[in-house]
């Protein structure tokens, strides 16, 4: 993975002398703009940082080739935030990697709290079947279609949007899909006991990609996990229900980060 860089930038200043530094990590084939709506609704005390990760829209395709561990990029992104990260917020594929990174024996740094959005998690290896792989192969482009629909400033023809989603899928490629699915397959072996920090799992009840049952299973397995399910919401709660999402994060951070100046 040498030669692939992670870019982290502050996208929202805090209106507070003791800000809570939140680092938000996008999912597969996305960008830091994924968090724009959340930034508009976040509590005044939140200083929002976003990352452009190798598996994002602007990343080099070589990130997915064999060699190295993508979870290392979670630590690399955290290291770029001056003063450290109070709250790490990670969506979808990045949520998988964030959990792996923070459960490692000696992570370089830990946030005060973690928010995993639309996480993928299964508690038992027996929960995976051949049909599981077939399902995720068949709907892989659909998540990009949904992302395009939400990000578009004007309605896109469904056929054009479908073709655009296929182009995104093809850019991610088979190796990118394998990286995602390999991380998902490892989720039953996550050392949940090592994740002894406050964790909020946020999921949409209508998510077709990361089932809300995954978020519930994860929250139940974590020592200090809690669950927030949003109604009429799919795979992108921070874009589909930004006010409700921001309120849930605000309440969680207020209770979990003792020095939080989020009011």
């Amino acid at each position: 993975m040498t030669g692939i860089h992670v870019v982290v930038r502050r996208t929202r200043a805090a209106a507070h002398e003791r800000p809570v530094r939140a680092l938000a990590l996008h999912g597969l084939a996305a960008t830091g703009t994924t968090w724009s709506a959340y930034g508009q609704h976040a509590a005044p005390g939140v200083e929002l940082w976003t990352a452009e990760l190798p598996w994002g829209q602007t990343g080099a395709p070589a990130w997915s080739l064999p060699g190295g561990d993508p979870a290392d990029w979670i630590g690399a992104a955290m290291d770029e935030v001056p003063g450290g990260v109070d709250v790490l917020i990670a969506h979808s594929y990045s949520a998988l990697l964030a959990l792996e990174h923070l459960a490692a024996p000696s992570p370089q740094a830990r946030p005060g709290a973690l928010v995993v959005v639309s996480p993928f998690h299964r508690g038992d290896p027996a929960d995976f079947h051949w049909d599981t792989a077939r399902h995720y192969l068949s709907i892989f482009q659909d998540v990009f279609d949904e992302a395009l629909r939400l990000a578009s400033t004007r309605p896109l023809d469904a056929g054009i949007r479908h073709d655009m989603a296929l182009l995104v899928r093809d850019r991610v490629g088979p190796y990118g899909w394998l990286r995602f699915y390999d991380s998902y397959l490892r989720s039953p072996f996550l050392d949940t006991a090592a994740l002894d920090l406050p964790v909020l799992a946020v999921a949409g009840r209508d998510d077709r990609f990361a089932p809300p049952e995954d978020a519930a299973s994860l929250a139940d397995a974590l020592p200090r996990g809690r669950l927030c399910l949003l109604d009429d919401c799919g795979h992108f709660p921070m874009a589909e229900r930004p006010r409700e999402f921001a309120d849930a994060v605000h309440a969680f951070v207020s209770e979990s980060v003792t020095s939080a100046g989020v009011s």
Side-chain angles (χ1 to χ4, degrees), residues 19-253:
V20 171
R21 289 180 294 271
L23 173 62
L25 308 178
H26 62 71
L28 198 59
T31 71
T33 60
T34 296
W35 305 100
S36 296
Y38 167 62
Q40 294 171 13
H41 293 280
V46 172
E47 180 180 283
L48 182 61
W49 294 74
T50 60
E52 299 299 334
L53 295 157
W55 47 88
Q57 194 176 102
T58 60
W63 76 269
S64 63
L65 299 179
D69 183 355
D72 291 342
W73 290 107
I74 304 300
M78 292 177 62
D79 288 344
E80 293 296 318
V81 178
V85 177
D86 297 309
V87 183
L88 182 64
I89 308 174
H91 178 241
S92 194
Y93 178 58
S94 284
L96 274 169
L97 299 181
L99 290 163
E100 286 189 354
H101 174 73
L102 296 175
S106 299
Q108 293 176 322
R110 279 198 174 206
L114 172 65
V115 179
V116 285
V117 187
S118 306
F120 294 89
H121 178 80
R122 300 198 180 191
D124 189 330
D127 292 336
F128 288 97
H129 311 280
W130 287 114
D131 284 347
T132 313
R134 184 180 300 112
H135 169 73
Y136 280 100
L137 274 171
S138 67
I139 68 166
F140 194 49
Q141 70 275 2
D142 292 353
V143 71
F144 306 131
D145 187 287
E146 185 171 315
L148 289 165
R149 178 180 60 80
L150 291 168
S152 178
T153 56
R154 56 183 177 80
L156 281 175
D157 175 79
I160 293 174
R161 196 176 68 234
H162 174 75
D163 291 343
M164 292 172 65
L166 290 178
L167 289 173
V168 176
R169 180 203 65 181
D170 291 345
R171 187 174 187 279
V172 173
Y175 283 100
W177 183 88
L178 282 171
R179 284 288 195 179
F180 152 72
Y181 198 62
D182 179 57
S183 294
Y184 197 9
L185 287 172
R186 291 198 304 268
S187 64
F189 305 98
L190 179 71
D191 185 0
T192 53
L195 288 160
D196 190 18
L197 75 166
V199 181
L200 174 66
V202 182
R205 291 187 186 274
D206 301 326
D207 193 337
R208 297 192 301 120
F209 310 105
E213 292 81 8
D214 280 25
S217 173
L218 175 64
D220 187 58
L222 293 168
R224 301 167 68 185
R226 65 179 71 178
L227 176 67
C228 174
L229 295 178
L230 298 179
D231 293 327
D232 300 317
C233 183
H235 191 62
F236 299 89
M238 60 286 196
E240 296 175 68
R241 294 287 180 268
R243 168 56 67 186
E244 293 91 333
F245 176 81
D247 288 347
V249 173
H250 182 185
F252 170 69
V253 172

